[in-house]
């Protein structure tokens, strides 16, 4: 079965960098893209960007341009989200999700990674 | 890109039908048939309910249906059940080839 398993919770200081992993299994990694979505405490979902599992092409939300990097490792079927220059407003649960064969159609989700940024 | 507009809350009694709206612009909802809907229970990741405006993925109950008219998409849940109580989010492709979510709607089953 399709599974996306994310790395564990993180506590970071302002200005630090974050790297979250999303290990996938149960499907052909290179046939699907991965989207990253975050959810601040008590808030709604926020799309951060997308990466192709086939060729690593990326598409980032303008809000995160210059501060985010999404990568993949096809040898381990893992996607990564890196976010730099963290601030308190980056405190959130970060999700990876497999995008189905339609834009924005996120069919399978990781369990989420809780990230807390505070000094 | 501003979030799509959803009502903050809706409610209904068991067995009734409810509709949640998702309003955008011609640069997102109105311009593309790439609207999706998600259900989220507290402390859980979102669950995929609808894509391409009205298509249900395999395994999703026919009680959930989607539609669109102009710049507004809608999710209808018929035969409300207690387990439908959750937050619901819409999303859409945008003219910038990105994705934007709605602010979310809390459904209360009375």
């Amino acid at each position: 079965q399709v599974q996306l398993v994310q790395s564990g919770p993180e506590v970071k200081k302002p200005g630090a960098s974050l790297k979250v992993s999303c290990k996938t299994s149960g499907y052909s990694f290179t046939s699907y893209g991965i989207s990253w979505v975050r959810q601040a405490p008590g808030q709604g979902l926020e799309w951060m960007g997308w990466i192709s599992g086939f060729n690593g092409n990326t598409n980032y939300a303008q809000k995160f341009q210059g501060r985010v990097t999404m990568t993949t490792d096809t040898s381990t079927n893992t996607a990564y989200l890196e976010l730099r220059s963290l601030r308190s407003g980056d405190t959130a649960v970060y999700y990876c999700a497999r995008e189905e064969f339609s834009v924005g159609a996120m069919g399978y989700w990781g369990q989420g990674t809780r990230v807390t940024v505070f000094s | 890109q501003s979030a799509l507009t959803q009502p903050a809350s809706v409610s209904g009694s068991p067995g009734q039908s409810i509709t949640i709206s998702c309003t955008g612009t011609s640069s997102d909802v109105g311009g593309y048939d790439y609207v999706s809907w998600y259900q989220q229970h507290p402390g859980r990741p979102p669950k995929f309910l609808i894509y391409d405006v009205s298509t249900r993925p395999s395994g999703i109950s026919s009680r959930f249906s989607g539609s669109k008219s102009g710049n507004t998409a809608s999710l209808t849940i018929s035969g409300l059940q207690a387990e439908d109580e959750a937050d619901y989010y819409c999303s859409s492709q945008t003219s910038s080839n990105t994705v934007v979510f709605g602010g979310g709607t809390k459904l209360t089953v009375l």
Side-chain angles (χ1 to χ4, degrees):
Chain A
Q1 73 281 23
V2 175
Q3 287 191 308
L4 289 77
V5 179
Q6 299 182 223
S7 47
E10 303 258 17
V11 178
K12 296 289 186 181
K13 292 191 182 302
S17 294
L18 166 74
K19 192 166 188 175
V20 178
S21 67
C22 172
K23 184 168 178 56
T24 73
S25 61
Y27 73 96
S28 172
F29 183 78
T30 56
S31 295
Y32 295 83
I34 295 287
S35 284
W36 288 91
V37 175
R38 75 179 187 180
Q39 186 170 35
Q43 302 301 307
L45 303 175
E46 181 175 32
W47 185 81
M48 299 182 69
W50 170 91
I51 183 166
S52 166
F54 175 67
N55 58 16
N57 284 352
T58 55
N59 185 16
Y60 302 142
Q62 186 174 10
K63 175 177 179 177
F64 300 102
Q65 291 273 4
R67 207 161 66 93
V68 70
T69 301
M70 296 176 189
T71 57
T72 60
D73 182 345
T74 55
S75 69
T76 60
N77 297 334
T78 302
Y80 297 92
L81 168 72
E82 181 181 12
L83 188 62
R84 299 176 291 278
S85 302
L86 291 170
R87 36 216 188 220
S88 59
D90 294 317
T91 293
V93 175
Y94 289 75
Y95 293 103
C96 60
R98 190 183 87 169
E99 186 159 299
E100 309 304 296
F101 297 122
S102 183
V103 178
M106 300 166 215
Y108 292 88
W109 294 66
Q111 83 276 20
T113 295
R114 185 172 301 276
V115 175
T116 304
V117 181
F118 83 114
S119 54
Chain B
Q1 181 71 47
S2 299
L4 306 175
T5 300
Q6 297 182 231
S9 63
V10 298
S11 62
S13 299
Q16 287 186 331
S17 295
I18 63 95
T19 297
I20 299 171
S21 61
C22 170
T23 301
T25 69
S26 58
S27 295
D28 37 64
V29 174
Y32 306 92
D33 286 335
Y34 293 127
V35 175
S36 296
W37 288 92
Y38 302 88
Q39 175 193 64
Q40 187 180 34
H41 287 105
R44 300 290 298 162
K47 177 182 178 181
F48 190 38
L49 290 180
I50 296 281
Y51 68 101
D52 292 357
V53 175
S54 59
T55 303
R56 281 187 309 276
S58 174
I60 298 301
S61 170
S62 58
R63 297 189 301 108
F64 296 91
S65 62
S67 62
K68 190 183 86 166
S69 177
N71 296 337
T72 298
S74 299
L75 172 71
T76 298
I77 308 174
S78 59
L80 266 182
Q81 300 177 2
E83 58 262 37
D84 297 333
E85 185 162 295
D87 294 326
Y88 291 82
Y89 295 91
C90 61
S91 73
S92 173
Q93 180 184 2
T94 76
S95 57
S96 305
N97 200 31
T98 60
V99 174
V100 62
F101 281 98
T105 298
K106 181 176 179 60
L107 168 62
T108 300
V109 180
L110 302 171

